[in-house]
């Protein structure tokens, strides 16, 4: 599929000019290669009319130019003094005409409206309101006022001052007669439809002295704005329909076949399942404008999107709308990163978040996507050292591995942590990525005691047991704080009895705190990593208190004789270790 993108249809009127923008992936080869605009012939082939190498065909002499904007990945073709002969099928492309790196554009140039003299032209956007003004003379002040629409050869009555309203206009039209001083009546039509376009005639009086005025109403469909984004990136649609619909429900929909437009998200709480976890609707401003962000773009997201306002929260005839045509470039610079990360209850996950490596200084964030609120995403942690209170001790954002990726670690997982999370920065908004955390059946691989109490001035040793499969990994202990986790010295010790069915390589790594002080209180993490990539982590809270008893303290996981039965180990975990803490004599006796 060609990565070149442009407008599918361009419409204009004789004598006017058009400007056509074509997009390409801004690789250095593409930025420097030939750009062209050619006209498709009946027998295939495409005849160049203008190119970036300076060629201009005689048909375009003096009325067209082609400009490349390499930093944006676009080039623009301007054509002036259009005639109906310019209508036809064209291509904009890169390289050689026959190479296939191109996009098809159809240009339709219509004849200007052949209007009666004295016709006022009203040009209004679809869904908006028009006011047609009709002057009259004093002698017709008391007579019937009416508005007709020319349909075929005959004028058809639309509305009059006696109260008649044509059924096609019910509920969206009114006739106002101005005060005595002004000899003017006006007809206001709301929620304009494409079918309302045409020639109108307004009239005051019905005899030969009547006053008449011709009006030509043109209802414009919004030209879609072209949006060119990368696969796996994100897109933002800014929708501003004006203050008059500030209090009407808003929607974003995607056009499927024909006229159908399937709601992607609306302010009434509806959201299409395909966008679960990767869409945010930013609440409306006072003027009724709002924006929608979609991340993790997929091939199938490409297409035409409309935003609009209607009390039903979906597209209806006469909704004011704004349109976009989204193209998803598959030659993406955004790296693949896992879209689902699995963890077990009590265990941990490490999430890799890509960002634009040109922006290493940007602030990194991680937020929790909340579906119920139409996708709010409250922040949980940032790289400036802020962590949401409920996540103290169990969440950390690390700038490693760096160079385009950072890591977020969440441990002490519970089923409530399942859901969608977003990685973002305060820099390039195209690099927002979405990851879903799933909680699956299983046991954490690292085993640490629950809570531990240390005694002031004494030595504390905390074990962390890891299975044989981690023997080649680097092991570490660190002290958690809101800016990260500061590494501490630890010893890798001999075989651990905490694991069953495991060879003698099952080991433990211990944290030793000598001469405990008040400052040692807090969360400690035991974890494994390979190079800059983090694996599992386990967290333990160490409380510090004064104690009369003397001697060093050692916290063990469980009695050795409980080891063969793993279930006992886990269910008796807290109980055993609490006993050990309450009664040091019992504990030492055991050793």
């Amino acid at each position: 599929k060609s990565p070149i993108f442009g407008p599918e249809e361009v419409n204009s009127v004789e004598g006017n000019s058009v400007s056509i923008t074509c997009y390409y992936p801004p690789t250095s080869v593409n930025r420097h290669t030939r750009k062209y605009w050619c006209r498709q012939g009946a027998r295939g082939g495409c005849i160049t009319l203008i190119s970036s190498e300076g060629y201009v065909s005689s048909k375009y002499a003096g009325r067209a130019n082609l400009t490349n904007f390499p930093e944006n990945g676009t080039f623009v073709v301007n054509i002036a003094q259009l005639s109906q002969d310019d209508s036809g099928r064209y291509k904009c492309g890169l390289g050689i005409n026959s190479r296939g790196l191109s996009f098809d554009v159809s240009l339709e140039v219509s004849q200007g409206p052949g209007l009666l003299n004295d016709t006022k032209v009203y040009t209004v956007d679809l869904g908006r309101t028009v006011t047609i003004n009709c002057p009259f003379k004093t002698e017709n002040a008391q007579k019937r006022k009416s508005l007709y629409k020319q349909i075929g050869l005959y004028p058809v009555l639309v509305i009059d001052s006696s109260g008649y309203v044509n059924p096609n206009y019910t509920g969206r039209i009114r006739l106002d007669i101005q005060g005595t001083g002004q000899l003017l009546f006006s007809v206001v039509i709301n929620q304009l439809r494409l079918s309302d376009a045409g020639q109108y005639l307004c009239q005051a009086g019905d005899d030969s002295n009547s006053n008449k005025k011709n009006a030509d109403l043109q209802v414009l469909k919004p030209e879609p704005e072209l949006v060119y984004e990368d696969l796996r990136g994100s897109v933002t649609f800014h929708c501003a329909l004006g203050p008059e619909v500030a209090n009407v429900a808003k929607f974003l929909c995607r056009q499927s076949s024909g006229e159908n437009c399937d709601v992607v998200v609306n302010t009434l709480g509806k959201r299409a399942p395909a966008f679960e976890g990767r869409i945010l609707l930013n609440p409306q401003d006072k003027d009724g404008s709002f924006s929608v962000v979609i991340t993790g773009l997929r091939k199938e997201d490409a297409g035409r999107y409309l935003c609009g306002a209607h009390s039903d929260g979906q597209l209806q005839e006469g909704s004011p709308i704004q349109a976009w045509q989204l193209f998803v470039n598959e030659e993406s610079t955004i790296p693949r990163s896992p879209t689902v990360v699995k963890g077990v209850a009590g265990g941990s996950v490490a999430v890799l978040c890509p960002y634009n490596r040109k922006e290493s200084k940007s602030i990194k964030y991680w937020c929790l996507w909340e579906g119920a609120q139409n996708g709010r995403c409250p922040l949980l942690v940032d790289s400036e050292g802020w962590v949401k209170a409920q996540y103290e001790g169990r969440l950390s954002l690390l700038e490693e591995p760096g160079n385009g990726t950072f890591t977020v670690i969440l441990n002490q997982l519970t089923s409530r942590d399942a859901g969608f999370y977003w990685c973002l920065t305060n820099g390039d908004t195209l690099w927002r990525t979405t990851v879903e955390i799933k909680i699956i059946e299983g046991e954490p691989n690292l085993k640490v005691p629950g809570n531990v109490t240390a005694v002031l001035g004494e030595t504390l040793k905390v074990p962390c047991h890891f299975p044989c499969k981690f023997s080649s990994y680097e092991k570490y202990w660190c002290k958690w704080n809101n800016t990260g986790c500061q590494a501490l010295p630890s010893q890798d010790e001999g075989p651990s009895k905490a694991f069953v069915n495991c060879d003698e390589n099952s080991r433990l790594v211990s944290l030793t705190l000598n001469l405990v002080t008040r400052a040692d209180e807090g969360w400690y993490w035991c974890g494994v990593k390979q190079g800059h990539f983090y694996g599992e982590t386990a967290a333990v809270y160490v409380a510090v208190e004064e104690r009369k008893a003397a001697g060093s303290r050692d916290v063990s996981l469980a009695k050795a004789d409980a080891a063969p039965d793993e279930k006992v180990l886990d269910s008796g975990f807290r109980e055993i270790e609490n006993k050990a803490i309450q009664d040091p004599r019992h504990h030492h006796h055991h050793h």
Side-chain angles (χ1 to χ4, degrees), residues 11-232:
N11 297 296
S12 190
V13 178
E14 278 193 299
N16 285 7
S17 52
V18 288
S19 175
I20 292 155
T21 302
C22 294
Y23 296 74
Y24 56 86
T27 60
S28 66
V29 171
N30 286 351
R31 288 203 297 264
H32 299 108
T33 192
R34 167 181 185 262
K35 318 292 180 298
Y36 64 85
W37 171 254
C38 65
R39 183 161 188 168
Q40 300 186 50
R43 295 191 293 283
C46 198
I47 290 116
T48 301
L49 297 179
I50 186 165
S51 81
S52 59
E53 295 170 334
Y55 173 77
V56 180
S57 111
S58 57
K59 288 198 171 65
Y60 274 6
R63 66 184 186 103
N65 59 45
L66 184 155
T67 316
N68 184 30
F69 295 96
E71 63 288 353
N72 304 349
T74 63
F75 66 94
V76 177
V77 178
N78 291 306
I79 312 162
Q81 298 151 36
L82 290 166
S83 72
Q84 287 188 270
D85 296 346
D86 288 317
S87 293
R89 287 166 50 245
Y90 295 81
K91 283 180 190 290
C92 61
L94 261 61
I96 309 160
N97 294 24
S98 58
R99 217 181 102 218
L101 277 182
S102 63
F103 188 86
D104 290 12
V105 179
S106 102
L107 173 60
E108 181 71 48
V109 181
S110 49
Q111 201 180 337
L115 298 173
L116 302 156
N117 301 347
D118 159 50
T119 299
K120 176 149 170 58
V121 180
Y122 296 88
T123 309
V124 191
D125 288 341
L126 183 68
R128 299 303 189 177
T129 298
V130 67
T131 301
I132 298 173
N133 288 323
C134 309
F136 56 83
K137 298 211 164 59
T138 320
E139 66 256 32
N140 289 321
Q142 299 308 317
K143 298 188 180 158
R144 185 175 86 113
K145 319 289 188 298
S146 50
L147 177 75
Y148 292 89
K149 183 177 187 196
Q150 194 71 30
I151 295 183
L153 299 171
Y154 306 100
V156 172
L157 182 58
V158 171
I159 189 170
D160 71 14
S161 54
S162 71
Y164 171 80
V165 173
N166 180 301
N168 286 339
Y169 294 83
T170 309
R172 56 190 192 93
I173 192 168
R174 65 175 201 267
L175 189 149
D176 294 339
I177 300 180
Q178 304 298 336
T180 46
Q182 227 184 344
L183 296 176
L184 188 73
F185 76 92
S186 53
V187 176
V188 180
I189 312 174
N190 298 312
Q191 293 159 30
L192 282 171
R193 304 171 180 175
L194 295 173
S195 58
D196 293 336
Q199 299 282 334
Y200 288 81
L201 167 73
C202 52
Q203 190 171 318
D206 290 302
D207 50 17
S208 55
N209 292 331
S210 63
N211 301 126
K212 297 184 174 179
K213 173 88 175 147
N214 291 304
D216 177 60
L217 173 61
Q218 299 182 352
V219 180
L220 301 181
K221 244 175 140 159
E223 281 290 304
E225 188 186 324
L226 302 185
V227 184
Y228 189 88
E229 298 297 2
D230 281 359
L231 193 65
R232 297 184 291 280

Side-chain angles (χ1 to χ4, degrees), residues 568-588:
V568 172
L569 174 75
D570 289 318
S571 58
F573 221 60
R574 289 276 148 78
E575 196 191 332
I576 291 168
E577 140 226 85
N578 288 345
K579 267 209 204 89
I581 287 164
Q582 284 151 8
D583 182 0
R585 284 183 310 279
H586 157 85
H587 190 74
H588 285 297

